Amino acid sequence: MINDRQLEVLINDVYEYHGFDFGGYSRASLKRRVDRLVQLDGFKDFAAFLSKVRSEPAYFKHMVEEITVNVTEMFRDPHFYKTLREEIIPTLAPKPFIRIWHAGCSSGEEVFSMAILLQEANLLHKSLLYATDINPLVLETARKAIFPLRMMKAYSENYMASGGKKDFSEYYTANYGFAKFDEHFVSKMVFSQHNLVSDGSFNEFDLIMCRNVLIYFDKDLQERALQLFDNSLSKLGYLALGTKETIKFSKMEDGYEQHKKEKLWKKIK
């Protein structure tokens, strides 16, 4: 187990040697992930790990990829997707074109869930889904549209609980233990590396999804990310956060109204 002082040394050295700022990340979460990596990669002590991070760019890249991976699944929290399906997406239907940003999209399960919702609402043809993450490895996984077949039963159950009416297997082809999703979905997606810590706004969106990412940030970094979302959201657009995340007590709170049940906010100013 690394101690608090060692964690601060790591954060400072990563910034000094590679220009990557972990300073705003939750210390408890970061510590758990670094501990896991040190044990996983078989380092005998912290000094050996730190030396490799400093001197080997390829290992530093590996470290960032491991530390920034978020757990995700299709139609996670089905009641949330049911709300999207029944209450939010219909309000987007009159728009001539729909732009949705999945910030911190990880390996893409959430993006494909959204694509299915839009397809079933007959809106995918006039939609574009921007899927961004700091981690290029998970973006490559998402772009391939291939997921473990063993997960499809759970994903299908989530889909049905979210109000889905079709046979979920219609959306993918099963082969050699993997499920390959329809390329038609991928054609409506733009995958790009983006750092919520340091990168700016790049478009105006009708819906921004950033679920279970801000919990890894400290208060200042959360505020910075929320300001970025505010700058990127069209008026009357929606922001969706994770179950343990909120815009309450943030500078932007007054410009939004929250959905009665979900962590969804509508921009009203």
Side-chain angles (χ1 to χ4, degrees):
M1 296 284 288
I2 68 168
N3 59 43
D4 293 344
R5 186 188 63 80
Q6 290 172 328
L7 185 64
E8 294 306 317
V9 168
L10 175 66
I11 290 169
N12 291 334
D13 281 11
V14 161
Y15 187 70
E16 181 181 340
Y17 282 79
H18 302 285
F20 193 99
D21 191 1
F22 273 120
Y25 281 65
S26 158
R27 293 301 193 267
S29 171
L30 190 58
K31 194 174 181 181
R32 281 195 304 271
R33 290 178 175 225
V34 171
D35 271 333
R36 173 184 166 276
L37 183 62
V38 168
Q39 293 171 22
L40 201 64
D41 289 353
F43 289 100
K44 293 179 180 176
D45 54 41
F46 174 74
F49 168 71
L50 185 63
S51 175
K52 192 152 186 162
V53 169
R54 284 172 171 172
S55 61
E56 297 185 21
Y59 186 77
F60 166 70
K61 181 170 177 280
H62 164 71
M63 183 199 82
V64 171
E65 288 169 351
E66 287 294 325
I67 285 176
T68 59
V69 168
N70 293 320
V71 177
T72 184
E73 61 185 56
M74 286 190 181
F75 295 94
R76 184 180 188 177
D77 304 322
H79 52 87
F80 167 79
Y81 279 93
K82 192 175 180 66
T83 300
L84 284 183
R85 181 192 294 277
E86 296 177 353
E87 300 178 40
I88 307 303
I89 288 177
T91 70
L92 304 180
K95 292 178 176 287
F97 197 74
I98 300 167
R99 288 185 179 86
I100 298 173
W101 179 16
H102 293 263
C105 70
S106 193
S107 44
E109 285 86 344
E110 182 185 85
V111 191
F112 283 89
S113 302
M114 180 63 72
I116 289 169
L117 289 185
L118 291 167
Q119 172 92 342
E120 294 185 355
N122 197 29
L123 296 174
L124 187 60
H125 67 283
K126 63 171 185 175
S127 302
L128 200 55
L129 308 181
Y130 292 78
T132 68
D133 202 278
I134 195 174
N135 186 333
L137 200 65
V138 295
L139 283 173
E140 193 53 43
T141 300
R143 191 180 284 113
K144 290 175 181 174
I146 297 174
F147 302 97
L149 191 59
R150 69 178 185 277
M151 299 304 298
M152 290 306 114
K153 182 176 184 293
Y155 293 171
S156 176
E157 290 171 356
N158 285 353
Y159 163 76
M160 296 301 290
S162 78
K165 300 289 192 293
K166 296 196 174 185
D167 184 338
F168 192 62
S169 64
E170 288 181 24
Y171 293 120
Y172 64 84
T173 304
N175 206 358
Y176 298 107
F178 291 95
K180 175 79 165 73
F181 277 74
D182 197 316
E183 281 295 322
H184 174 58
F185 293 135
V186 181
S187 71
K188 307 303 292 183
M189 299 172 182
V190 177
F191 295 96
S192 182
Q193 196 170 356
H194 184 277
N195 187 341
L196 290 173
V197 177
S198 58
D199 294 340
S201 177
F202 59 93
N203 215 322
E204 186 174 78
F205 298 95
D206 304 299
L207 169 61
I208 297 176
M209 304 268 289
C210 186
R211 305 183 72 227
N212 307 305
V213 176
L214 299 187
I215 52 173
Y216 299 112
F217 295 173
D218 69 14
K219 188 65 180 169
D220 288 343
L221 201 53
Q222 286 178 8
E223 188 68 50
R224 201 186 314 174
L226 289 173
Q227 193 58 57
L228 170 63
F229 297 149
D230 186 46
N231 294 339
S232 305
L233 202 58
S234 63
K235 190 173 180 184
L236 304 182
Y238 295 90
L239 173 65
L241 299 179
T243 54
K244 296 178 182 176
E245 299 165 335
T246 185
I247 69 167
K248 286 183 179 177
F249 315 114
S250 73
K251 293 175 184 175
M252 60 187 269
E253 180 183 5
D254 290 344
Y256 289 76
E257 62 180 24
Q258 187 177 358
H259 183 272
K260 55 188 178 291
K261 293 180 182 176
E262 301 295 342
K263 291 299 183 77
L264 268 163
W265 286 265
K266 185 178 184 179
K267 185 174 182 178
I268 55 175
K269 291 183 183 177

